[in-house]
Amino acid sequence: MSLTFENITLGQRVLFGYGRAALNLGAEVDRLRAQRVMVIAAPSEAEIADRVTAHLPVVLRHSDVRPHVPVAQAEAARAAATECRADLLVCVGGGSTTGLAKAVALTTRVPVVAVPTTYAGSEATNVWGLTEASRKTTGVDDGVLPVCVVYDSELTLSLPVGLSVASGLNAVAHCVDSMWAPRANPVNQAFAMEGLRAVAEGLRRVVREPDDIAGRDATLYGCYLSGVAFASAGSGLHHKICHVLGGAYDLPHAQTHATVLPYVLELNAPGAPDAAQRIATALGGATPVAGLNTLREELDAPRALADHGMRREDIPEAARLVLPQVPPDNPVPVGQEEIVDLLARAWAGKPPRDREAT
């Protein structure tokens, strides 16, 4: 059978270098000829943001950043961008900060330059998300894709190991989901495999030695590839579940992804043997679940949704909210029973079952 597929890889400039964030950011602002820069950074990232943007033509520093981008915060940031006549948005921080910049760009069309300080990967996607009345809505718009990403592993040194692990496993989830997402193809699967290998290697090094720059470089590199793969392949079952949980129950984004991932993997892997083998190879395991289990044990990964604020009694409602979001071409059939079982196991942190090894 001949190989037939369609692939789209989004165009984006990437500047990567340890200790070069301020230099590379300044060069990019000059290249874009920006005169009025709005900096978006949460209070926890203010020191880093001030340092890397000190020599830019900043007209406003905006710090009202919330997880899952509530609509009220997005509208306030949009109004601020319009009032200060920003011609460039520079976001410095994690996924919530990037998400707010994307929300501003969605309506104002002001371009974004992202400076990540975590391993979110969302800076490499054209996906936006907004939360209102405990429901998270996502969409795709090329206008929200940052025109440039400035990666500097020095900026991740202040990220504690536990948060590094959760954030990095979010990138792992991007890679795994890309293997069987609606637009999965050999090109974005290749990005996902390399991203998966790099993040796994990098996280192991970061856990062993938090100041290991090579480990943080590998993790940043891998998280970028994870975002590229995800933007090309689309959103699979894992991300549909996590978006529902984050919006409805205000669960922490990275920890939710890190916790849910092994249960989606155990569910989907038997229905996608080729993708499963690629995941196993990238993780160095006999099976994908075995490889992920080993990685999670080495990293002391988050284990239970109960630890992050979800209640057992929320499971039936969560399953009802997830079910309409299940991709129709998911590798295995998924109904209410499967979602309830998955969420119950993730809530309790039960050991993921390696069905292929039984």
Side-chain angles (χ1 to χ4, degrees), residues 160-174:
V161 169
L163 289 179
S164 295
V165 167
S167 180
L169 286 173
N170 186 11
V172 168
H174 279 93

Side-chain angles (χ1 to χ4, degrees), residues 145-309:
L145 176 74
V147 295
C148 178
V149 184
V150 175
Y151 286 111
D152 180 349
S153 56
E154 183 181 34
L155 306 186
T156 72
L157 288 172
S158 61
L159 190 66
V161 169
L163 289 179
S164 295
V165 167
S167 180
L169 286 173
N170 186 11
V172 168
H174 279 93
C175 293
V176 170
D177 227 15
S178 297
M179 289 294 188
W180 41 55
R183 299 188 302 275
N185 65 55
V187 176
N188 48 48
Q189 285 180 330
F191 277 109
M193 276 191 69
E194 172 63 5
L196 193 53
R197 182 205 62 76
V199 172
E201 174 192 340
L203 286 179
R204 286 186 171 106
R205 297 182 66 157
V206 169
V207 167
R208 288 196 300 266
E209 179 49 64
D211 292 336
D212 182 354
I213 297 304
R216 291 185 177 270
D217 273 351
T219 310
L220 268 183
Y221 160 67
C223 89
Y224 165 68
L225 293 179
S226 79
V228 173
F230 182 77
S232 176
S235 182
L237 176 63
H238 171 84
H239 279 77
K240 299 298 186 182
I241 292 172
C242 291
H243 286 163
V244 167
L245 296 180
Y249 310 107
D250 197 29
L251 302 188
H253 185 80
Q255 290 86 344
T256 301
H257 280 274
T259 302
V260 169
L261 177 61
Y263 304 99
V264 177
L265 182 58
E266 73 171 6
L267 176 68
N268 275 351
D274 289 344
Q277 183 55 55
R278 290 172 181 241
I279 295 168
T281 299
L283 290 176
T287 68
V289 173
L292 183 59
N293 283 348
T294 298
L295 177 65
R296 286 171 51 81
E297 289 171 6
E298 293 180 28
L299 303 179
D300 191 22
R303 296 187 181 278
L305 292 175
D307 296 335
H308 303 295

Side-chain angles (χ1 to χ4, degrees), residues 26 29 53-54 85 87 115 138 170:
V29 170
T53 64
R85 295 182 290 116
D87 59 6
V115 186
T138 61
N170 186 11

